[in-house]
Amino acid sequence: MARKPTVGLVGWRGMVGSVLLERMRLEGDFERIEPVFFSTSRAGEPAPDIGRPVPPVGDAYDVEALRRLDVVVSCQGGEWTSAMYPALRRAGWKGYFVDAASTLRMHDESVLVLDPLNRARIDEALARGARDFIGANCTVSLMLMAVHGLLVRGWVEWISTMTYQAASGAGARAVRELVAQMRAIGQAASAALDDPACGALELDRAVSAAMADASFPRAELGVPLAASLIPWIDRAVEDGRTREEWKGHVEAHKLLGLDPPVPIDGICVRVGAMRCHSQGLTIKLRRPVPLDEVEAAIASAHPWVRLVPNEREATLERLTPAAVAGTLDIAIGRLHRLRMGPEYVGAFTCGDQLLWGAAEPLRRMVRILAGAL
Ligand code: HSE
């Protein structure tokens, strides 16, 4: 586009949307576009501060206003997409739709975006007139960012991924509830903690009693996540899998066009981390590649991968949700050969679910559309 594209932003007050806005401000993206903010509940209010005057917030259900835009970016969620995307296309809108929700991901016309890995596919799609560019599932994007160096060389036969997914992936209410659970536990254990004579088992009894109590906050998550975990994410699909587990294989293949296919499967688990998803990977290589070559391939895949040496100190310092949260780093470490045979490699990876897992691929897609990436 020769002029600055007009970009409608929908759902910018939620977790992913707020991170997106923050990143766009930081990277000067608003200088490249003409933004218009939309909301399902705050139409008419002043738009958020982007350093220059912009129109007041529009109504996110106003087809006439949205269809005048070159680009619509949504972090509003699947319900809005299900209602408004077909309405906009029916109204003849030919603009680019950039969405965080999963609604359109598996549509034939949709392109999954993660440009450090699939820029060529994005460019080809743009050239043939594709208009729907959708962010992939956070767990999938973070895993692919971690091991793309191996996949791109065709070295990988299959990957088993066991996830440790943060509360933020379940939404803002889940994050609040996790912290409320932590508080309830802290309050129940406070007296025992302050008494140096109190043993660990007594402390555990206080914590367990609090978690079992009817007053323990669980309206959102259903069960305790703090001091526990939940080995089930999203709804059941076929063959004993959850939908989150199903996405691992199908979205990775759609995103990268892997051929021959590389089976990707495992078990997805919610843990009490705030915003970083971690994954324990078992990687079966097609042949026994030396470990230093595996490391070099991983480390050189793109500028955000951080190879952490398989040592205790480095792991504790750089390969935890606490260390990675709020950064664009894709940390991967614990790399070592597994007992199953010379083709088997174990690894552990950690990335911010709100950044590379959600907001960053969308932000960069807008930049690509503005001709500035
Ligand atoms: N579905 C992911 C999760 C979040 O539940 O953690 C976004 O893809």
Side-chain angles (χ1 to χ4, degrees), residues 16 100 105 136-140 165-171 233-234 244 247 251 270 277 353 357-358:
V16 174
R105 276 188 204 145
N137 171 265
C138 46
T139 318
V140 178
Q165 297 185 218
S168 60
I233 296 178
D234 209 337
E244 187 77 358
K247 285 175 181 175
E251 290 192 16
R270 184 81 63 209
H277 283 4
Q353 180 266 332

Side-chain angles (χ1 to χ4, degrees), residues 32 116 161 348 355:
R32 315 274 183 162
T161 169
F348 191 86
L355 285 164

Side-chain angles (χ1 to χ4, degrees), residues 15-16 18-20 22-23 138 142 164-169 175 178 271-278 321-322 324-328 350-357 359:
M15 248 187 321
V16 174
S18 305
V19 170
L20 176 65
E22 197 180 299
R23 287 285 304 138
C138 46
L142 294 172
Y164 306 76
Q165 297 185 218
S168 60
V175 172
L178 170 64
V271 298
M274 292 296 283
R275 55 185 283 179
C276 279
H277 283 4
S278 304
V324 172
T327 75
L328 288 163
C350 183
D352 191 309
Q353 180 266 332
L354 296 171
L355 285 164
W356 275 119

Side-chain angles (χ1 to χ4, degrees), residues 1 3-8 33-36 68-72:
M1 283 173 221
R3 59 179 171 80
K4 287 187 197 175
T6 51
V7 178
I33 62 173
E34 293 298 343
V36 191
R68 287 197 290 269
L69 301 164
D70 300 313
V71 182
V72 171

